Amino acid sequence: VPRNYDPALHPFEVPREYTRALNATKLERVFAKPFLSSLDGHRDGVNCMAKHPKSLSTVLSGACDGEVKIWNLTTRQCIRTIQAHEGFVRGMCARFCGTSFFTVGDDKTVKQWKMEGPEHGEEEEPIHTILGKTVYTGIDHHWKEAVFATCGQQVDIWDEQRTSPMCSLTWGFDSISSVKFNPIETYILGSCASDRNIVLYDMRKSTPLKKVILNMRTNTLCWNPMEAFVFTVANEDYNLYTFDMRFLESPVMVHMDHVSAVLDVDYSPTGKEFVSASFDKSVRIFPVDKGHSREVYHTKRMQHVITVKWTSDNKYILCGSDEMNIRLWKANASEKLGVLAPREKAAMNYNQKLKEKFQYHPKIRRIAQHRHLPKSIFCQIKEQRIMREARRRKELNRRKHSKPGSVPIVPERKKHVVAVVK
C-alpha cells in the first residue's frame, strides 16, 4: 500500500500529542488561581488551628490574644468566638469524636470546650479546666481513646477524667514546642524540643524510645497518615526533613526551597504530599518523595505564616498568619471547582496523562515549573544558590589538595543529623 510520509498531511501521533501537552501545560498555568478567600475577624495574629474530625466545613483557630474562633468554611463566616485564655493560645486539638475540643494557653491552663455553642441564656464556659504548674506550648489528642498529651517542660499524658497527668515523660531539660500522636500506631507520639531534639515516645512504656539531634531547632512535626513509620519535621535551617522512625541515622528526604525558618507542616490525607508554612511569608506544597516544592503560594499582604492545615477532603489548604487573617487556598492551583460534565472530566484526565507523558521535555518542564515569586524571596533564593555553590567549590578544592581519603564525601542527607540516641 503506497503511503504518503508528508508530515503536513498526516501529523504523526507523537508530535500531535506533544502540541496538545504543551497547550494543556500553558492552560494549566493560565487557570492557576489558587487563592479562594480570607477569613478575617481575629484581632491578633493567628497562632494555631485545628480541624474538626467529622465535619469538613468546620475549622477552629486560636489567636495571640487568647481568642478562639470556630469558622464555617461553606459560608466563610465565624460561627462562634470564645475568649479562652489570657495571653497566647499555644495549641488546640479536637476530640476524635468531634463533640469537644481542647485549648492550652500562656495562663498555664488546659481547657475543654463543647463544640456546639451554648444554649440561649447559657454562659460560655469550659467543660473542664486543668491548672498546670508550667506554661503548656502544645496539645494533641489520641486518635481513638479519651487520652491527650500536652507539652511544655515535659510531655504529660492525661486521662480526660483526671486532673493530674497519668505519666510525665522527659529526656533533656529544654522546653518542648510540639507533640503529635501517630494516627496509625496510635500509642506512639513524637515531640520537638528547643534543644534541637526530636524525641519519640511509646505510651505503653514509661520511658522515651529514641531521639535524634539535628543541627538546628525543629519547630514542629507531622506524621504521615498513610505510612505508620514516616514523619516530617519543619526546621529552623529553612529545610524540612522526612524521617523513617526505624532508621533515624539519616532522613529519607531533605526538602529544600524555603528561604527562612519553616514554622509548620501538615500532611494531605492521601499521605503523598504535605504543605509547609514559613517565616518567609509563603506556603509551599511538597511531594513526599521530592526534594523541591511543586507549588508556592504567596500574596502581597500575607506576612509570616505561622500555622497551616490541609483539609480532610484533600481539596483545600488553610493558613493562618501574623496579620490576623486565615486564608483558604486550593490544593491544586488550576483545579476547576464545582460540578464537571462527563466530557469535561474526560478531557481533564486526558490532559493530565499528556502532561505526565511529556513532563521531562525541556519546553514543557520550563512552563510547568515557572513561578512568579516576590522579589525578596527571589533574591534570597539566588543568594543561597551562590552560597551553596561556594561551599561546594571550597570542599572540592580542599579534597583536591589533600591526601586522598582525608576529606570524606558526606552525602546531603547525613550533613544535618548530629546524633541518634537510643
Side-chain angles (χ1 to χ4, degrees):
V1 179
R3 182 155 170 224
N4 191 335
Y5 282 106
D6 183 4
L9 289 173
H10 306 279
F12 292 128
E13 202 58 21
V14 172
R16 188 183 326 170
E17 291 210 314
Y18 174 77
T19 310
R20 283 177 187 169
L22 190 62
N23 289 340
T25 311
K26 285 177 181 173
L27 283 175
E28 182 193 37
R29 297 313 311 145
V30 168
F31 290 127
K33 303 229 177 344
F35 179 71
L36 291 172
S37 77
S38 80
L39 312 172
D40 40 356
H42 275 297
R43 289 173 304 196
D44 209 333
V46 182
N47 199 41
C48 54
M49 286 197 291
K51 293 184 282 196
H52 192 295
K54 294 283 199 297
S55 153
L56 283 175
S57 60
T58 310
V59 72
L60 315 152
S61 64
C64 297
D65 57 354
E67 198 173 58
V68 169
K69 281 185 182 285
I70 301 179
W71 304 88
N72 183 343
L73 292 181
T74 39
T75 59
R76 295 174 193 168
Q77 298 292 324
C78 172
I79 318 170
R80 187 166 151 225
T81 305
I82 308 164
Q83 186 59 44
H85 294 277
E86 304 286 323
F88 283 43
V89 180
R90 286 289 173 191
M92 57 198 314
C93 66
R95 201 170 184 273
F96 60 90
C97 60
T99 52
S100 62
F101 64 93
F102 295 82
T103 61
V104 294
D106 275 357
D107 51 4
K108 304 184 186 177
T109 56
V110 181
K111 293 184 182 178
Q112 183 181 3
W113 306 83
K114 270 197 197 139
M115 195 65 83
E116 298 300 317
E119 299 295 320
H120 181 66
E122 248 188 294
E123 287 291 311
E124 181 77 87
E125 281 185 345
I127 312 172
H128 297 300
T129 304
I130 300 169
L131 212 64
K133 293 185 178 70
T134 56
V135 173
Y136 296 113
T137 53
I139 185 168
D140 197 31
H141 201 285
H142 194 283
W143 290 78
K144 291 192 175 81
E145 293 166 25
V147 171
F148 63 92
T150 60
C151 60
Q153 283 187 355
Q154 65 213 24
V155 171
D156 293 326
I157 294 169
W158 307 74
D159 191 310
E160 282 182 17
Q161 308 305 322
R162 295 170 58 180
T163 55
S164 58
M166 293 194 295
C167 72
S168 296
L169 305 159
T170 108
W171 191 354
F173 300 99
D174 229 322
S175 60
I176 297 162
S177 55
S178 87
V179 62
K180 286 282 189 321
F181 275 102
N182 191 324
I184 305 166
E185 301 288 346
T186 49
Y187 41 78
I188 298 246
L189 33 80
S191 75
C192 310
S194 51
D195 53 359
R196 307 176 308 170
N197 293 345
I198 302 161
V199 188
L200 301 176
Y201 310 90
D202 191 329
M203 248 168 59
R204 299 165 302 182
K205 294 166 67 177
S206 53
T207 54
L209 292 176
K210 299 176 178 177
K211 79 170 166 183
V212 53
I213 305 167
L214 300 183
N215 278 328
M216 285 178 83
R217 193 181 75 187
T218 301
N219 285 317
T220 179
L221 106 173
C222 187
W223 294 93
N224 190 325
M226 287 293 165
E227 295 180 58
F229 306 106
V230 178
F231 62 92
T232 296
V233 296
N235 203 287
E236 284 279 321
D237 65 359
Y238 314 172
N239 298 341
L240 295 114
Y241 302 102
T242 299
F243 281 97
D244 186 322
M245 65 184 263
R246 298 165 296 181
F247 317 107
L248 288 173
E249 282 69 33
S250 72
V252 183
M253 186 59 77
V254 179
H255 309 274
M256 311 175 145
D257 258 347
H258 281 296
V259 292
S260 193
V262 190
L263 301 180
D264 200 10
V265 57
D266 192 37
Y267 263 95
S268 76
T270 58
K272 290 186 175 174
E273 295 183 317
F274 59 84
V275 58
S276 64
S278 170
F279 201 75
D280 64 13
K281 310 178 188 178
S282 70
V283 173
R284 285 182 185 267
I285 302 172
F286 289 86
V288 173
D289 52 353
K290 300 275 196 309
H292 293 284
S293 61
R294 71 159 173 89
E295 198 60 82
V296 54
Y297 294 159
H298 53 85
T299 69
K300 276 187 181 169
R301 293 183 181 182
M302 187 155 77
Q303 294 303 309
H304 314 305
V305 192
I306 298 171
T307 172
V308 72
K309 283 279 178 270
W310 197 309
T311 57
S312 310
D313 62 349
N314 200 26
K315 274 191 181 305
Y316 305 104
I317 285 165
L318 287 148
C319 69
S321 49
D322 251 359
E323 77 323 328
M324 308 181 266
N325 265 5
I326 297 167
R327 288 182 174 78
L328 183 65
W329 308 84
K330 286 192 255 187
N332 191 353
S334 58
E335 183 182 25
K336 186 185 173 197
L337 300 178
V339 184
L340 293 177
R343 281 183 63 183
E344 217 174 351
K345 200 177 271 184
M348 278 174 65
N349 291 342
Y350 176 55
N351 284 345
Q352 189 56 39
K353 279 282 172 254
L354 281 179
K355 282 184 285 196
E356 280 170 26
K357 181 177 173 183
F358 292 96
Q359 63 184 342
Y360 296 112
H361 280 248
K363 205 169 176 184
I364 288 180
R365 191 172 168 191
R366 186 185 65 79
I367 294 167
Q369 289 188 346
H370 178 75
R371 296 286 179 279
H372 277 295
L373 291 168
K375 193 174 179 186
S376 58
I377 296 181
F378 184 76
C379 293
Q380 278 172 293
I381 287 175
K382 212 153 114 186
E383 193 179 315
Q384 277 175 15
R385 194 182 300 132
I386 294 166
M387 283 156 69
R388 219 173 16 243
E389 194 52 47
R391 276 198 297 271
R392 200 182 67 88
R393 209 166 45 241
K394 185 174 181 180
E395 198 180 320
L396 283 175
N397 286 343
R398 194 172 282 168
R399 193 170 293 124
K400 195 161 67 178
H401 298 290
S402 303
K403 202 163 66 177
S406 61
V407 181
I409 297 174
V410 183
E412 182 63 46
R413 292 177 191 179
K414 300 261 186 193
K415 282 178 189 170
H416 307 279
V417 177
V418 178
V420 177
V421 189
K422 296 251 167 70

